[in-house]
Amino acid sequence: MTVVAHLKEKYLLLFFLAVGLSMHSSSFSQRPDYKKQVSNLYATVNHYFYIADSGFYREHAVKEKEDHPVSYLWPLCALIQAANEMERVWPDSNYMDQVYKVIEKYDDPAPPSPGYDSYPGSFKREDRYYDDNQWIGIAAMDAYFRNGKKRDLKMGKKIYAFMMTGYDSVAGGGIYWREGDMNTKNTCSNGPGIIVLMQLYQATHKKSYLKQALDIYNWTNRHLRSPEHLYYDNLNVKTGKIGKHQFSYNTGTMLQANVYLFEATKDSSYLREAEKVAASADSYFLGDGKFRDDYWFNAVLLRGLEHLYKHTGNNQHLRAFAKCTDQALANDKNTSGLMGKDKAVNLVGQGGMLEILARLAWLQQKGAI
């Protein structure tokens, strides 16, 4: 090769590298300021949903005919996790305190173990759902790893004790969906159950937590994992029929369960499985550039994707997720600044988007997206 040809090749290489870096930088710069977005949405949510006089939240921004006076517990499960993620972004804040105070209004000390009702007993006692309680436990344990507060570890242990009252050997194991309903065992009560157990294992190093987590993990994969490494909704233990709906939050919890098990055991097969789950989730739930499911369901998926990124450094799935978020911000924000143009705006969806935005803001700060 002549000197001229060599120089020409070198300059062409530098040119294409510069173009590539410019395009990469441009894609980053075109991202919304997620920190600003979450701050604005949080203020708007408090304005429309928080009832300062009673210390509760309402279910919808505009009261629906069938609404109860205050919200169910599920939206608070979304808000407590969002508050934790916001405290990561603003380390000197205390967003969780307000939500914690409201959640305690749903406390029910009834046997066999204290837990949280789906609706506050001061109005009307309703069912206790294992998954509702688990979401609270997960947020509390995430907070514990961040700030070391005994309050949060105590909450994690309380949720563990309650959720295990829903475990038995029918159909070979697994946790029921709600207390007193012995019909179905669901991915939404087993996936987050594994995470609570793994969080407690990380916090205490008690091997019994790991053993129980593995038991539930193996049961869930045996009965509810699809051939594509996504997850079905439930097993009817009376009939053996599988409810084959696939939701992003179920896949998200099992994705994160694999990452936790990799961290605990150093067995790389769990990390490989997590990567397969993430790839399928990316294709199925995010594949056309917009969210297939509601915002909170996707927030749970993002938890798993973020946790996986910690070990792989591959931000492909996070970028696909951010693209869907950007699409939603551009096309599904109403005139009040809340998420949802075409249907009644409920609190769980707003909580889900708050968590998504806070997580993306934190990742944006770290240069991950």
Side-chain angles (χ1 to χ4, degrees), residues 66 97 149 232 245 281 337:
E66 68 277 8
D97 286 355
K149 289 183 180 179
Y232 300 129
H245 292 295

Side-chain angles (χ1 to χ4, degrees), residues 47-106:
H47 175 74
Y48 283 97
F49 288 92
Y50 187 62
I51 311 168
D53 292 344
S54 64
F56 284 97
Y57 288 88
R58 56 176 57 90
E59 194 81 12
H60 291 96
V62 177
K63 185 175 173 60
E64 297 284 295
K65 183 178 179 181
E66 68 277 8
D67 278 1
H68 292 302
V70 301
S71 83
Y72 279 94
L73 181 64
W74 182 24
L76 305 183
C77 303
L79 286 181
I80 193 67
Q81 188 74 51
N84 178 69
E85 305 317 315
M86 291 172 69
E87 288 188 15
R88 276 205 302 174
V89 178
W90 290 278
D92 296 326
S93 62
N94 59 349
Y95 293 107
M96 293 185 77
D97 286 355
Q98 176 175 301
V99 190
Y100 252 130
K101 288 176 184 176
V102 183
I103 286 173
E104 286 305 320
K105 297 174 185 289
Y106 295 68

Side-chain angles (χ1 to χ4, degrees), residues 23-318:
M23 291 174 65
H24 182 69
S25 175
S26 174
S27 68
F28 275 63
S29 65
Q30 290 171 4
R31 294 259 182 250
D33 181 342
Y34 294 118
K35 187 174 181 179
K36 183 177 179 181
Q37 290 281 343
V38 71
S39 182
N40 291 343
L41 182 58
Y42 178 74
T44 307
V45 167
N46 269 297
H47 175 74
Y48 283 97
F49 288 92
Y50 187 62
I51 311 168
D53 292 344
S54 64
F56 284 97
Y57 288 88
R58 56 176 57 90
E59 194 81 12
H60 291 96
V62 177
K63 185 175 173 60
E64 297 284 295
K65 183 178 179 181
E66 68 277 8
D67 278 1
H68 292 302
V70 301
S71 83
Y72 279 94
L73 181 64
W74 182 24
L76 305 183
C77 303
L79 286 181
I80 193 67
Q81 188 74 51
N84 178 69
E85 305 317 315
M86 291 172 69
E87 288 188 15
R88 276 205 302 174
V89 178
W90 290 278
D92 296 326
S93 62
N94 59 349
Y95 293 107
M96 293 185 77
D97 286 355
Q98 176 175 301
V99 190
Y100 252 130
K101 288 176 184 176
V102 183
I103 286 173
E104 286 305 320
K105 297 174 185 289
Y106 295 68
D107 184 52
D108 183 351
S113 187
Y116 293 93
D117 285 338
S118 59
Y119 198 72
S122 58
F123 289 88
K124 177 186 177 184
R125 190 182 185 282
E126 295 198 14
D127 296 324
R128 295 195 293 189
Y129 288 78
Y130 298 112
D131 64 325
D132 283 0
N133 282 262
Q134 289 160 342
W135 306 123
I136 295 167
I138 289 168
M141 291 304 299
D142 281 347
Y144 175 73
F145 292 125
R146 182 172 50 79
N147 59 34
K149 289 183 180 179
K150 292 182 180 178
R151 168 192 75 175
D152 298 313
L153 179 59
K154 183 179 179 182
M155 176 67 86
K157 290 180 176 179
K158 174 180 178 177
I159 298 305
Y160 159 74
F162 173 69
M163 79 178 195
M164 292 310 293
T165 66
Y167 177 93
D168 66 19
S169 60
V170 174
I175 300 173
Y176 292 101
W177 179 40
R178 63 181 172 181
E179 192 174 37
D181 181 350
M182 315 293 274
N183 291 304
T184 65
K185 294 185 174 182
N186 296 44
T187 305
C188 74
S189 49
N190 286 278
I194 299 165
I195 294 173
V196 171
L197 285 161
M198 292 307 302
Q199 289 173 316
L200 287 170
Y201 175 72
Q202 283 193 352
T204 67
H205 305 293
K206 282 182 61 176
K207 290 185 178 179
S208 58
Y209 289 133
L210 177 58
K211 184 176 182 298
Q212 288 173 317
L214 284 167
D215 175 63
I216 296 171
Y217 172 85
N218 290 329
W219 182 90
T220 307
N221 278 330
R222 187 162 60 249
H223 292 284
L224 294 169
R225 182 174 61 183
S226 79
E228 297 77 27
H229 298 269
L230 300 176
Y231 284 83
Y232 300 129
D233 187 62
N234 69 78
L235 167 69
N236 186 311
V237 299
K238 306 288 188 185
T239 66
K241 184 178 179 181
I242 301 292
K244 291 198 172 181
H245 292 295
Q246 296 179 131
F247 298 111
S248 51
Y249 75 141
N250 286 333
T251 294
T253 56
M254 292 305 293
L255 165 57
Q256 193 170 20
N258 275 288
V259 180
Y260 270 118
L261 286 166
F262 166 71
E263 290 174 341
T265 65
K266 308 306 179 189
D267 183 342
S268 59
S269 67
Y270 291 114
L271 194 61
R272 290 194 299 272
E273 177 63 17
E275 290 175 318
K276 290 176 184 177
V277 176
S280 290
D282 191 332
S283 175
Y284 187 75
F285 296 112
L286 313 173
D288 60 358
K290 62 182 181 179
F291 292 127
R292 176 185 286 266
D293 285 347
D294 292 342
Y295 295 126
W296 179 80
F297 284 38
N298 286 293
V300 179
L301 174 59
L302 180 56
R303 300 174 195 179
L305 296 175
E306 182 186 334
H307 203 161
L308 177 62
Y309 169 75
K310 176 182 174 182
H311 295 281
T312 67
N314 180 358
N315 70 352
Q316 171 190 345
H317 305 306
L318 295 177

